[in-house]
Amino acid sequence: MARSLDGLVLSPVADQAPGQVGTRTRFTYHQQDGTIWAEYAGGDVVRGHLVGTREGDVLDFRYVQLKQDGTTSSGHCRSIVTELPDGRVRLDERWEWESQEGSGTSVVEEVTH
């Protein structure tokens, strides 16, 4: 199992569609036992939160966010946690909106300070 996500800051490696999470978005993760949660913001996202579970290297969570234009959106995501050769954490994500149409995949990686 890859290391704990607690206290890690991750960011997408590529921009999504306009108005969504992108390379300027930063996720700060927390983990306690099998529970995970994070706050995120940046780019088109003013504030976002996710909450869910971790079983081994699989995350299953719901997310909700407020965008710059004042709209909110929510969805579901399943991520696979891996460790990169340089020791950083990577999440390979498969997500789908629940408040609107759309689904896709994305990759987020640990940001080095």
Side-chain angles (χ1 to χ4, degrees):
M1 183 167 91
R3 66 189 168 103
S4 173
L5 300 177
D6 196 50
L8 299 185
V9 176
L10 290 89
S11 182
V13 299
D15 287 323
Q16 299 293 320
Q20 307 303 333
V21 165
T23 57
R24 295 177 297 159
T25 309
R26 297 291 181 266
F27 294 79
T28 302
Y29 273 84
H30 309 281
Q31 180 176 332
Q32 184 175 22
D33 301 319
T35 303
I36 57 145
W37 66 99
E39 304 86 32
Y40 61 98
D44 289 329
V45 178
V46 174
R47 183 177 305 268
H49 297 277
L50 66 84
V51 63
T53 59
R54 178 176 183 173
E55 187 172 323
D57 287 332
V58 177
L59 307 181
D60 189 328
F61 59 85
R62 294 288 193 295
Y63 56 90
V64 62
Q65 64 189 33
L66 170 66
K67 297 186 288 188
Q68 294 284 351
D69 66 4
T71 61
T72 60
S73 49
S74 62
H76 176 247
C77 184
R78 286 185 55 89
S79 301
I80 305 297
V81 183
T82 58
E83 198 164 320
L84 296 168
D86 64 6
R88 293 180 304 126
V89 168
R90 172 185 171 122
L91 303 180
D92 291 289
E93 304 182 317
R94 180 170 300 281
W95 51 267
E96 100 181 286
W97 291 110
E98 294 179 329
S99 62
Q100 61 194 33
E101 293 294 317
S103 63
T105 61
S106 55
V107 174
V108 296
E109 292 181 354
E110 183 179 353
V111 176
T112 56
H113 300 287

